Amino acid sequence: MAVSATAMNEEPRVVLSARGLSKSFGAFRAVNRVDLDIHHARVHALIGPNGAGKTTVFNLLTKFLQPTEGTITLLGTDITKTPADKVARMGLVRSFQISAVFPHLSVLDNVRIALQRPNGLSTQFWLPTSALNRLNARADELIEAVGLKRERDALAADLSYGRKRVLEIATTLALDPQVLLLDEPMAGMGQEDIGTVSSIIRDVAKTRAVLMVEHNLSVVANICHQVTVLQRGEILAEGDYATVSQDERVRLAYMGAEEA
Amino acid sequence: MTHGTSATARTERSASASKTYAAFLIIGLVLLIVAPAFFYPIFIMKLLCFALFACAFNLLLGYTGLLSFGHATFFGGAAYFTAHVVKEWGFSPELGILVGVVGAALLGLVMGYVAIRRQGIYFAMITLALSQMFFFFCLQAKFTHGEDGIQSVPRGHLFGFIDLNSSTNMYYFVLAVFLIGMVIIWRFINSPFGMILKSIRENEQRAISLGYSVARYKLGAFVMSAALAGLAGGTKALVFQFATLTDVAWQMSGEVILMTLLGGIGTLIGPIFGAGLVVTLQNYLATSQFPVTIVTGIVFMVCVLVFRRGLIGEFYASRLGRKLGFEHRR
């Protein structure tokens, strides 16, 4: 909380913003007129009860879903109509709620695949795979940073659930994105991994913007500068953790249940 | 610790697999080199052309996960292009085949561009519809000579001095083409591009979120598959010295699917055996009273029921196969 006070003073720039973001599935309005500003060098948490529309907001921001209404701006560019892969190339990279790794490839290969495109090594069909060895140094750095060194040559499918999530974070970081969207990065993790990942996220956020969906409120209190509470597709409250957790409506809707 | 050991076990197994592969490769090569002494050369040449065709098709089905029902277009189309330029314009055989390959690649680019964004059955149906259009084009166009096809195509002289009218020379030329095609496929699968294809097959959503425009990579694989099918088709036109409607008909697209499934999807050499089986059956039953289609149909059904992974796929997964160090994925 001391963190947020000092960071607040300089008013960092907005890198990703949404205005009037809405999504309807038939008659059901999953997300309703959400305004969101994600700042450089800040960790922003998106919380709310199940079915509040957090993952839908993620899918909209990363363009895996097309919004029904509203606009999205990334680093000054309107991306409301931009395809998902292009958004990723512009520097907005996401992780998934259900762990997204390439199961029948090794940990090293998983990370190298993320590194291939930014290093211009993804279209060469005439080169041997050993050409990818020059990505090993950077890949090993990332693998070590998230603590997967021992599992480097294991198949991703053989990793435990928590370790798969860690691997996914390593592949996301491999792209060196400007904005990271992490969908429940700590879900199903052991205490040790939570510590590692928390410090990775805090580190990463020094030079990037992070938006994360998270249920673990002690993690939110520890590492997030800004919290947005979502309920039934609408924003219920916004502010730093201390302010939000004092809000009566939020206590009633979400935290009340947690603390009771 | 457990991860460590399983990883080393994996490396050891793949090392022993590459030794076994090398041994089988040498045996296979020797057999192919001496084969014309024991079999009718035209028959083995036909077999090699279809084997290459099936391997090209498998590049798409087995390594990209796309089921095309229009591959006859590239095989038969290339046969027409090669036959035409060699017979009417006097091109040399190697140049004629090159024209067939380029023509097939261009057809692949068009068909792939239209079909690639569709999934599953829709993809298959669009490729089928487009290949039917191409069939009717070939039926009507002047240069294909309709029902007659392009007959008596001269084989000519390879590089101007190797007489391909000698069936020994022709055989080794076809063998060389086949091996070049196989090396291209092998390299393509085991390349940086191949890694991206693998990742798309494993988890398409994740590949998109890493910034890969999945459709373009699939299109790349489609064009490569079409070009190699064209290599097989153009060569076949020179072997038989004609190009006809049979090679562009939808039955041919079906046959190549059958060959690939029989041999084993996603195995490098499986389709070779699948093609061998189908071509051999057709050859032996052609002279008998028994209808070929019934037999191939029965073989196909047995295969689907008993050898779901295909002949080679089952061998890799069997105890002997695993002992030799093969590992069948999926």
Side-chain angles (χ1 to χ4, degrees):
Chain A
M1 277 135 269
V3 189
S4 54
T6 49
M8 283 285 206
N9 290 339
E10 17 189 301
E11 198 53 53
R13 65 196 160 89
V14 174
V15 285
L16 173 68
S17 76
R19 286 289 170 273
L21 200 60
S22 303
K23 178 70 188 178
S24 305
F25 297 105
F28 175 63
R29 199 127 174 114
V31 173
N32 193 20
R33 274 175 296 184
V34 165
D35 294 341
L36 211 56
D37 282 317
I38 313 301
H39 298 85
H40 177 74
R42 290 277 194 82
V43 182
H44 194 133
L46 194 58
I47 63 171
N50 285 329
K54 304 179 295 282
T55 298
T56 310
V57 167
F58 261 47
N59 285 334
L60 292 172
L61 290 175
T62 49
K63 298 312 306 306
F64 274 72
L65 280 177
Q66 183 60 35
T68 318
E69 279 161 41
T71 54
I72 307 167
T73 315
L74 171 66
L75 303 165
T77 315
D78 187 329
I79 57 160
T80 313
K81 295 244 162 8
T82 312
D85 57 300
K86 182 138 187 244
V87 168
R89 289 198 292 278
M90 289 170 70
L92 170 60
V93 179
R94 70 172 299 179
S95 71
F96 290 84
Q97 193 172 3
I98 300 157
S99 87
V101 294
F102 304 116
H104 296 103
L105 296 175
S106 71
V107 166
L108 179 68
D109 282 340
N110 266 272
V111 178
R112 289 205 308 195
I113 282 170
L115 288 168
Q116 275 182 251
R117 187 185 51 75
N119 288 285
L121 264 176
S122 59
T123 51
Q124 290 84 343
F125 58 84
W126 56 90
L127 291 179
T129 7
S130 58
L132 298 175
N133 286 345
R134 76 176 172 83
L135 304 176
N136 285 5
R138 177 71 187 128
D140 282 330
E141 253 174 55
L142 288 158
I143 289 170
E144 201 163 345
V146 296
L148 277 173
K149 203 177 170 190
R150 274 196 309 151
E151 291 96 332
R152 179 185 187 261
D153 296 309
L155 287 186
D158 293 340
L159 299 182
S160 72
Y161 182 76
R163 308 253 87 190
K164 278 185 192 142
R165 306 299 319 242
V166 170
L167 171 58
E168 197 189 341
I169 288 174
T171 57
T172 307
L173 290 178
L175 300 186
D176 200 13
Q178 287 294 301
V179 188
L180 265 87
L181 268 60
L182 305 173
D183 201 349
E184 297 192 27
M186 324 273 187
M189 268 186 195
Q191 204 55 46
E192 185 196 344
D193 284 337
I194 289 183
T196 317
V197 173
S198 291
S199 74
I200 290 169
I201 291 175
R202 206 176 305 163
D203 227 37
V204 159
K206 283 177 188 156
T207 51
R208 298 171 184 84
V210 176
L211 173 67
M212 59 194 270
V213 169
E214 190 51 62
H215 282 302
N216 187 329
L217 291 181
S218 70
V219 169
V220 173
N222 268 331
I223 66 171
C224 297
H225 306 99
Q226 182 88 2
V227 179
T228 297
V229 187
L230 220 55
Q231 191 192 21
R232 294 200 197 95
E234 293 181 9
I235 291 180
L236 187 65
E238 203 164 25
D240 60 22
Y241 182 77
T243 321
V244 167
S245 57
Q246 294 307 312
D247 192 300
E248 270 313 311
R249 293 166 303 166
V250 176
R251 293 172 76 94
L252 208 70
Y254 183 59
M255 301 186 179
E258 289 273 327
E259 281 166 16
Chain B
M1 214 56 196
T2 48
H3 291 305
T5 46
S6 84
T8 22
R10 227 154 40 80
T11 353
E12 269 166 26
R13 236 180 305 159
S14 74
S16 97
S18 58
K19 261 184 215 159
T20 337
Y21 260 126
F24 275 93
L25 191 68
I26 291 164
I27 295 170
L29 274 178
V30 170
L31 285 179
L32 283 173
I33 288 168
V34 300
F38 303 97
F39 297 97
Y40 182 46
I42 292 270
F43 167 69
I44 320 171
M45 286 192 253
K46 181 182 177 187
L47 207 153
L48 287 176
C49 289
F50 277 102
L52 182 57
F53 182 28
C55 289
F57 178 79
N58 186 39
L59 186 63
L60 202 59
L61 180 61
Y63 292 93
T64 320
L66 291 172
L67 174 61
S68 157
F69 216 99
H71 256 52
T73 294
F74 315 126
F75 186 71
Y80 274 127
F81 299 147
T82 303
H84 182 75
V85 299
V86 168
K87 190 186 174 189
E88 304 293 335
W89 300 352
F91 276 36
S92 61
E94 68 278 8
L95 214 57
I97 288 177
L98 187 67
V99 169
V101 170
V102 172
L106 290 175
L107 287 172
L109 191 64
V110 174
M111 190 187 280
Y113 188 82
V114 177
I116 218 83
R117 276 163 213 284
R118 305 281 165 264
Q119 307 266 330
I121 191 75
Y122 300 104
F123 178 81
M125 286 299 114
I126 287 177
T127 49
L128 174 62
L130 290 173
S131 78
Q132 283 301 90
M133 280 168 63
F134 187 72
F135 175 84
F136 285 106
F137 165 76
C138 290
L139 188 64
Q140 300 294 333
K142 270 253 150 49
F143 85 99
T144 58
H145 302 286
E147 303 271 1
D148 295 337
I150 304 175
Q151 301 284 347
S152 51
V153 179
R155 281 181 181 171
H157 289 68
L158 181 65
F159 305 125
F161 65 92
I162 303 171
D163 186 3
L164 292 181
N165 290 307
S166 138
S167 73
T168 316
N169 287 353
M170 188 67 198
Y171 175 77
Y172 289 110
F173 172 58
V174 173
L175 181 58
V177 168
F178 169 77
L179 292 175
I180 290 168
M182 290 308 292
V183 168
I184 292 173
I185 292 172
W186 177 76
R187 165 52 72 234
F188 191 82
I189 295 164
N190 297 297
S191 70
F193 188 94
M195 280 305 280
I196 304 302
L197 282 184
K198 215 176 272 179
S199 76
I200 291 172
R201 208 187 54 201
E202 292 254 309
N203 192 336
E204 189 164 334
Q205 294 292 305
R206 184 57 181 164
I208 294 172
S209 81
L210 292 177
Y212 291 107
S213 39
V214 165
R216 273 191 221 167
Y217 287 88
K218 286 183 179 171
L219 185 59
F222 195 92
V223 171
M224 182 53 97
S225 171
L228 288 164
L231 181 63
T235 311
K236 185 189 173 247
L238 287 184
V239 170
F240 287 96
Q241 302 187 273
F242 60 69
T244 63
L245 284 171
T246 330
D247 290 348
V248 283
W250 65 268
Q251 289 92 334
M252 185 59 74
S253 299
E255 220 159 78
V256 76
I257 298 175
L258 177 72
M259 290 171 184
T260 309
L261 287 176
L262 282 179
I265 299 174
T267 60
L268 186 62
I269 59 167
I272 301 175
F273 289 87
L277 186 66
V278 172
V279 172
T280 311
L281 275 175
Q282 284 173 348
N283 224 52
Y284 281 99
L285 295 172
T287 44
S288 80
Q289 294 291 316
F290 211 73
V292 186
T293 41
I294 292 185
V295 178
T296 46
I298 292 170
V299 169
F300 183 59
M301 284 196 315
V302 169
C303 182
V304 168
L305 292 173
V306 186
F307 313 111
R308 208 163 291 175
R309 298 187 184 93
L311 295 173
I312 296 300
E314 288 294 342
F315 171 70
Y316 284 176
S318 72
R319 197 178 288 179
L320 176 65
R322 266 182 284 168
K323 215 169 177 182
L324 288 169
F326 295 110
E327 199 173 359
H328 189 79
R329 303 222 175 93
R330 310 189 313 150

